Amino acid sequence: MKRLFLLILCILSFVVPGFAQDAAELDDRINSLYAANQVDAAFNLLLSIPQEERTSHQWLILGNLMQDMGKIGDAEFMYEHSLAVDPKNYKANYNLANLYLANGKPNMAIEKYKAALKINNEFAYAYYNLGCAYIKIGEYRKAKNALLDAVYFKSTEPDFHYNLAYVYKKLNKTKDAELYLGYYNKLINDRK
């Protein structure tokens, strides 16, 4: 009898998508589909999961898919659900901040970047984009501090140095601007 049950369980795990898979395995499958640009398959698999059973990561990927489709309101909704399931999901905060920044809401973006950094304070791209949001509202000193943090955590990213040079120029610190523009040029030339 036990063998029959195990046989049925094994068959169902191959026939019914998601059956007998834990959330981590399902997330791995979704990630693989998303990374392979099999967007429809990833989307359909996510939609097959009941809303009340979706993990924070699954809501996050749904948000990414909605954003990729240009459905900004839906993406925001998905990211908010991701945070409702797990308020410590720094990627959901970060992606929501990027959404706000891209759609002309720099102040809302700043709050979400800060939330992401409160959870993961070594996330260089969150510092960088926080700096960009501060640039958009003309807060160059705050932008400088955020960009310096970005460079501290990832000094090999040319754009970090370029924007820091820009901020120093806006702050009338010519020597610092030239220094970071030099770093930018060196990094760009090293990539050639």
Side-chain angles (χ1 to χ4, degrees):
M1 189 65 168
K2 283 184 182 180
R3 287 184 188 181
L4 179 61
F5 176 74
L6 287 174
L7 180 63
I8 292 171
L9 185 63
C10 287
I11 292 170
L12 284 174
S13 69
F14 288 107
V15 176
V16 180
F19 187 83
Q21 292 181 324
D22 66 6
E25 290 173 346
L26 196 53
D27 284 350
D28 287 345
R29 188 165 168 212
I30 292 164
N31 287 342
S32 294
L33 291 169
Y34 186 64
N37 203 27
Q38 294 180 352
V39 176
D40 290 337
F43 187 69
N44 290 333
L45 181 55
L46 284 161
L47 290 182
S48 74
I49 303 166
Q51 288 187 16
E52 61 278 358
E53 293 177 23
R54 287 184 193 147
T55 66
S56 179
H57 179 74
Q58 292 162 355
W59 284 108
L60 174 76
I61 298 297
L62 273 169
N64 292 349
L65 290 167
M66 292 292 105
Q67 190 170 357
D68 292 347
M69 291 180 215
K71 297 180 178 182
I72 304 308
D74 291 339
E76 182 178 1
F77 176 82
M78 301 301 172
Y79 294 142
E80 290 291 351
H81 268 71
S82 177
L83 289 169
V85 172
D86 180 9
K88 300 277 185 199
N89 187 334
Y90 73 94
K91 290 179 182 178
N93 278 300
Y94 176 73
N95 288 4
L96 190 52
N98 288 342
L99 189 73
Y100 290 148
L101 186 60
N103 288 285
K105 300 175 182 176
N107 289 314
M108 292 173 73
I110 288 167
E111 293 309 310
K112 288 299 178 182
Y113 288 130
K114 286 180 178 180
L117 289 165
K118 191 173 182 179
I119 299 161
N120 181 354
N121 67 352
E122 296 181 5
F123 189 21
Y125 292 98
Y127 284 113
Y128 172 72
N129 287 341
L130 176 62
C132 293
Y134 279 130
I135 289 170
K136 287 216 182 256
I137 62 171
E139 294 278 348
Y140 298 112
R141 290 194 196 293
K142 290 179 180 179
K144 176 193 74 165
N145 292 335
L147 292 168
L148 284 170
D149 286 335
V151 167
Y152 175 79
F153 288 110
K154 188 168 177 69
S155 63
T156 58
E157 186 60 53
D159 289 343
F160 294 5
H161 296 277
Y162 186 84
N163 279 6
L164 198 47
Y166 172 80
V167 167
Y168 275 123
K169 183 177 179 190
K170 287 296 210 177
L171 293 170
N172 294 319
K173 300 207 177 222
T174 308
K175 286 185 182 180
D176 291 325
E178 290 171 0
L179 176 70
Y180 282 96
L181 191 55
Y183 292 148
Y184 166 79
N185 287 326
K186 182 178 179 345
L187 289 168
I188 291 295
N189 288 330
D190 288 350
R191 290 187 175 183
K192 291 181 180 177

